[in-house]
Amino acid sequence: DAKTTQPTSMDCAEGRAANLPCNHSTISGNEYVYWYRQIHSQGPQYIIHGLKNNETNEMASLIITEDRKSSTLILPHATLRDTAVYYCIVRSATDSWGKLQFGAGTQVVVTP
Amino acid sequence: GAGVSQSPSNKVTEKGKDVELRCDPISGHTALYWYRQSLGQGLEFLIYFQGNSAPDKSGLPSDRFSAERTGGSVSTLTIQRTQQEDSAVYLCASSPGFYTGELFFGEGSRLTVL
């Protein structure tokens, strides 16, 4: 199964774009990339997912490299409420769709 | 309610006692998942329901753990003869169908085993 590598932590200034990298060099052609976040003491929250093409929704943008070995989650205008642990997940094509393998994630701190 | 509801939000129990944790998924969601998160650890998949059946129980740590779902809605996770290592936040999630990784999580039930 594909695994992901994320930085342990990163800081971002309020109002600026936050760019969260994720490496998934062993990803297979039919495996999706999912992003979730977990604000302290809350359950995880789905953000976005993609397969090959870049994706955008009201929360964020997901940029996937052409070789699919890495991706970047972009929060366009970070706010203090975006402080959370962000998880990049590659969903195994052989697992149940909702069986997600969460790693350690990236602790993002948005500062005023 | 609008979201996934879990109860109790906090449970403190003594080692060896049985506990039941309840999950009310979002109305109409057919898939339901249980995860747990131990202190300082990542989220760990436990079990998945599609309707009332559990096609994937691979994450249940031992035979002390069981879960059921009735009426395609409410689910109960039961832990028998609790141990201290069972202390964790137990999270329930639901999704509108099988072919999606977009899960809606509840706030979790924090279990402390003394």
Side-chain angles (χ1 to χ4, degrees), chain A residues 34 36 38 96-100, chain B residues 35 37 58 98-99 101 103:
Chain A
Y34 280 81
Y36 277 76
Q38 187 172 24
S96 311
W97 277 77
K99 184 179 180 180
L100 302 174
Chain B
Y35 283 77
Q37 187 168 30
S58 61
F98 175 67
Y99 295 107
L103 307 186

Side-chain angles (χ1 to χ4, degrees), chain A residues 46-105:
Chain A
Y46 165 83
I47 301 173
I48 199 167
H49 75 279
L51 182 63
K52 297 180 181 178
N53 299 323
N54 298 335
E55 302 288 344
T56 296
N57 63 21
E58 65 279 4
M59 289 184 68
S61 295
L62 175 61
I63 308 298
I64 302 175
T65 58
E66 191 170 342
D67 63 8
R68 302 188 69 239
K69 293 186 176 183
S70 66
S71 60
T72 301
L73 179 74
I74 301 172
L75 307 177
H77 304 286
T79 71
L80 299 180
R81 290 189 299 272
D82 292 323
T83 292
V85 177
Y86 286 76
Y87 298 99
C88 171
I89 302 163
V90 170
R91 195 199 70 80
S92 169
T94 59
D95 277 339
S96 311
W97 277 77
K99 184 179 180 180
L100 302 174
Q101 297 180 19
F102 289 80

